[in-house]
């Protein structure tokens, strides 16, 4: 009988995509996927290592799985495995360790482990090294492909792996290796298959999508998006986080010429102070960032510009934080994801002088959280009374009534009574947003 497998994902959109592929491959081989909080024969945790806290959460989930069923096979997969091999090897809760660039082989690795376990009392959790590659010395892109929709509306599409930026606070280049771009034809075939399965929206993702193609002849990102725009059935294309330098005049005008590309751009900032950006080893300054935003706002009407900001980076003075606040007010984002700097062992920033206290970080975080709440509310309310298309996704019960919720192309969440729309129906007619909702999520507008 097929063994029951429970899976759990930690971390980024890339991890989500990779877990979707792993689940499909397990299902295709006859394994039953069950909820993580139930007893299973195998637990697979797709780990994250972006912060020390992420490492701790990964270990907690691995230990929780072994506690749920001490006889189960617990599999640690991904980034945490890459950055703490010694800890993984001595952790008795982990039975099998699978590194990045071997996730596509999850079925073979698991079955090899089960076979060895049945014949031996104790098995090497790394299968004598077969479950890992030297991630920092490989130029091979691990091909993974979805054969069917993982959800009911949109799908992540991974186009590259690895990063060459080496920001001073970031461990990811050591967990994911150097940039490796997927072949365009493989991406096109995957998206075409998903479109036939009912996919309406794709989200292009990767560890550093701005570098797509740079390990070959040069940037291929715009060329790829142009090809994806031509695939029948796909109605929307979203882009995940990008570096601001990639937004040139040619890129902005090229994207604006493609009707399926959503005017929603996440440009990674991290700080609005040039001196702080230098210590972070970011490869741009605030002028570069502002120029990219202006180009997008020239070719699009009110594009949704979102970003990430780290507060309390080592050495960040009151004056530097003030510069950041002023810059953020000037740009006026739709949304900001605010993070308090967290020391990550193994990075340059962990050894920098001028480490701030938790209290200092919290005070600065609160300032930016108030700002983004205000800016986001003002942006959403600018669309009241207008019409736009919505891709309905989820169902929500409110005061005895059933609503469908979904997103506009600019990532504004909207709700409508269920009888007025159909789930997974890309509505192309006029949808009037008449008032901010007082009873749904605060970031939702009501039709």
């Amino acid at each position: 009988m097929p063994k029951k497998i429970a899976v759990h994902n930690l971390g980024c959109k890339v991890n989500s995509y990779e877990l979707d592929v792993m689940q499909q491959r397990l299902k295709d081989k006859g394994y039953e996927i069950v909820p993580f909080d139930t007893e299973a024969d195998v637990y697979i945790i797709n780990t994250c290592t972006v912060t020390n806290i992420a490492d701790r959460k990964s270990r907690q989930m691995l230990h929780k799985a072994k506690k749920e069923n001490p006889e189960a096979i617990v599999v640690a997969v991904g980034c945490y495995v890459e950055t703490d091999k010694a800890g993984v090897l001595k952790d008795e809760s982990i039975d099998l360790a699978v590194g990045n660039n071997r996730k596509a082989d999850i079925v073979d690795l698991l079955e090899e482990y089960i076979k060895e376990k049945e014949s031996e009392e104790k098995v090497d959790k790394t299968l004598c090294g077969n479950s890992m590659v030297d991630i920092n010395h490989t130029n091979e892109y691990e091909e993974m492909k979805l054969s069917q929709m993982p959800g009911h509306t949109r799908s992540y599409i991974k186009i590259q792996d690895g990063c060459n930026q080496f920001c001073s606070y970031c461990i990811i280049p050591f967990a994911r290796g150097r940039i490796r771009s997927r072949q365009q034809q493989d991406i096109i075939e995957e998206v075409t298959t998903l479109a036939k399965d009912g996919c309406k929206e794709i989200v292009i993702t990767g560890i550093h999508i701005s570098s797509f193609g740079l390990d070959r002849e040069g940037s291929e990102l715009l060329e790829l998006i142009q090809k994806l725009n031509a695939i029948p059935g796909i109605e929307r294309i979203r882009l995940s986080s990008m570096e601001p330098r990639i937004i040139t005049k040619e890129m902005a005008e090229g994207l604006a010429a493609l009707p399926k590309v959503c005017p929603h751009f996440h440009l990674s900032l991290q700080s609005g102070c040039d001196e702080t950006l230098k210590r972070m080893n970011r490869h741009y300054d605030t002028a570069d960032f502002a120029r990219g935003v202006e180009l997008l706002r020239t070719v699009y009407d009110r594009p949704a510009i979102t970003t990430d900001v780290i507060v309390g980076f080592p050495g960040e003075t009151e004056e530097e934080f003030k510069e950041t606040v002023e810059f953020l007010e000037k740009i006026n984002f739709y949304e900001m994801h605010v993070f308090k700097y967290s020391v990550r062992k193994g990075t340059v920033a962990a050894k920098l002088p001028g480490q701030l206290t938790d209290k200092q970080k919290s005070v600065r975080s609160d300032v930016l959280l108030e700002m983004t709440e205000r800016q986001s509310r003002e942006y959403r309310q600018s669309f009241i009374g207008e019409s736009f298309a919505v891709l309905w996704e989820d169902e929500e019960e409110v005061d005895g009534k059933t609503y469908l919720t979904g997103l506009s192309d600019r990532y504004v969440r909207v709700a409508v009574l269920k009888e007025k729309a159909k789930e997974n129906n890309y509505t192309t007619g006029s949808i009037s947003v008449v008032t901010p909702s007082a009873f749904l999520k605060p970031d939702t507008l009501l039709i």
Side-chain angles (χ1 to χ4, degrees):
M1 294 293 290
K3 291 184 176 291
K4 294 181 178 180
I5 298 184
V7 300
H8 184 78
N9 189 68
L10 294 162
C12 63
K13 293 181 176 68
V14 175
N15 261 13
S16 295
Y17 169 88
E18 292 168 346
L19 188 66
D20 286 340
V21 176
M22 287 190 282
Q23 285 191 90
Q24 284 192 9
R25 296 193 175 190
L26 289 163
K27 288 178 181 178
D28 289 345
K29 289 290 287 187
Y31 291 93
E32 179 187 358
I33 305 299
V34 299
F36 191 81
D37 57 356
T38 60
E39 185 172 305
D41 302 301
V42 180
Y43 294 87
I44 298 175
I45 294 88
N46 201 19
T47 64
C48 178
T49 193
V50 68
T51 63
N52 290 346
I53 295 173
D55 275 0
R56 186 170 71 244
K57 288 182 177 179
S58 295
R59 289 191 293 269
Q60 287 173 343
M61 295 308 298
L62 291 161
H63 297 165
K64 179 181 178 181
K66 182 60 77 172
K67 185 177 180 180
E68 188 75 40
N69 181 7
E71 301 302 315
I73 298 170
V74 175
V75 186
V77 181
C79 293
Y80 170 62
V81 174
E82 295 287 351
T83 59
D84 191 9
K85 294 183 179 69
V88 168
L89 288 173
K90 70 180 182 181
D91 192 330
E92 295 183 357
S93 294
I94 300 171
D95 298 297
L96 174 62
V98 178
N100 287 321
N101 255 44
R102 291 307 309 273
K103 293 180 179 180
D105 302 319
I106 187 65
V107 174
D108 292 340
L109 293 171
L110 177 60
E111 292 184 346
E112 182 180 351
Y113 178 86
I114 292 172
K115 181 179 179 182
E116 292 291 325
K117 192 171 186 292
E118 288 174 347
S119 61
E120 300 180 25
E121 185 175 334
K122 188 173 182 180
V123 186
D124 178 4
K125 68 179 67 179
T126 62
L127 294 178
C128 301
N130 291 335
S131 63
M132 299 186 71
V133 300
D134 185 351
I135 199 66
N136 285 290
H137 294 88
T138 182
N139 59 5
E140 179 184 355
Y141 179 86
E142 181 189 29
E143 178 57 31
M144 304 179 80
K145 188 177 292 185
L146 288 169
S147 57
Q148 58 188 11
M149 278 285 289
H152 59 269
T153 52
R154 68 169 56 83
S155 177
Y156 295 128
I157 303 295
K158 180 183 171 186
I159 67 169
Q160 67 84 226
D161 209 334
C163 181
N164 294 357
Q165 299 299 296
F166 290 95
C167 299
S168 65
Y169 54 81
C170 187
I171 200 72
I172 296 305
F174 302 99
R176 286 283 180 169
R178 304 297 77 75
I179 60 170
R180 307 178 300 284
S181 301
R182 189 178 179 187
Q183 294 297 322
Q184 289 194 37
Q185 188 55 40
D186 290 331
I187 300 170
I188 292 167
E189 289 176 0
E190 179 180 44
V191 175
T192 300
T193 297
L194 294 176
K196 292 177 180 177
D197 194 45
C199 181
K200 302 288 186 180
E201 177 178 309
I202 57 172
V203 182
I204 296 175
T205 191
I207 298 302
H208 192 256
I209 69 169
S210 298
S211 66
F212 180 69
L214 294 183
D215 51 329
R216 295 192 282 249
E217 298 298 320
S219 178
E220 301 174 16
L221 185 58
L222 180 58
E223 177 186 349
L224 172 66
I225 299 169
Q226 289 168 335
K227 293 177 180 178
L228 296 178
N229 187 79
I231 296 177
I234 297 298
E235 300 292 347
R236 285 181 177 173
I237 301 171
R238 291 191 194 274
L239 304 173
S240 60
S241 181
M242 296 190 294
E243 291 287 327
R245 291 177 302 162
I246 200 171
I247 306 299
T248 61
K249 186 173 185 290
E250 177 188 8
M251 174 64 81
E253 292 178 346
L255 293 174
L258 304 174
K260 296 180 183 179
V261 173
C262 293
H264 167 217
F265 303 98
H266 189 87
L267 302 182
S268 184
L269 174 62
Q270 307 304 356
S271 175
C273 170
D274 288 339
E275 287 303 314
T276 306
L277 288 173
K278 288 178 183 178
R279 292 197 301 279
M280 290 179 168
N281 195 34
R282 302 292 287 177
H283 304 279
Y284 55 84
D285 58 23
T286 53
D288 294 329
F289 192 95
R291 191 159 41 245
V293 172
E294 181 59 30
L295 284 169
L296 290 171
R297 286 175 171 165
T298 297
V299 297
Y300 286 105
D301 171 34
R302 290 169 295 170
I305 308 294
T306 60
T307 198
D308 302 313
V309 182
I310 297 174
V311 297
F313 190 75
E316 183 186 65
T317 64
E318 288 288 351
E319 183 59 35
E320 288 181 344
F321 179 65
K322 181 181 178 182
E323 288 182 33
T324 289
V325 171
E326 291 174 350
F327 185 75
L328 299 178
E329 288 283 14
K330 173 185 173 183
I331 296 297
N332 193 18
F333 292 95
Y334 168 34
E335 286 182 343
M336 293 186 293
H337 301 155
V338 181
F339 301 92
K340 291 182 283 188
Y341 170 72
S342 174
V343 175
R344 181 57 176 90
K345 184 180 177 181
T347 63
V348 172
K351 300 177 181 179
L352 289 178
Q355 300 283 339
L356 277 70
T357 66
D358 289 339
K359 183 178 180 180
Q360 287 172 309
K361 296 173 190 176
S362 295
V363 169
R364 296 178 184 184
S365 174
D366 289 344
V367 171
L368 299 193
L369 289 173
E370 184 281 328
M371 181 193 299
T372 190
E373 182 179 352
R374 167 172 47 82
Q375 290 179 344
S376 182
R377 181 174 61 252
E378 291 171 354
Y379 179 81
R380 293 192 305 271
Q381 291 183 353
S382 74
F383 294 100
I384 292 176
E386 299 186 16
S387 302
F388 44 71
V390 178
L391 177 59
W392 304 113
E393 304 170 28
D394 301 314
E395 195 171 290
E396 186 173 345
E397 293 290 333
V398 180
D399 292 341
K401 296 180 181 180
T402 302
Y403 291 84
L404 293 182
T405 61
L407 294 169
S408 74
D409 56 355
R410 287 167 173 78
Y411 214 68
V412 175
R413 186 160 292 281
V414 181
V416 67
L417 284 169
K418 185 175 182 180
E419 55 263 31
K420 293 185 178 180
K422 294 181 180 179
E423 196 170 3
N424 199 24
N425 175 39
Y426 184 81
T427 306
T428 55
S430 295
I431 304 295
S432 297
V433 181
V434 295
T435 179
S437 169
F439 51 91
L440 294 173
K441 293 179 182 178
D443 62 345
T444 305
L445 297 180
L446 176 65
I447 293 175

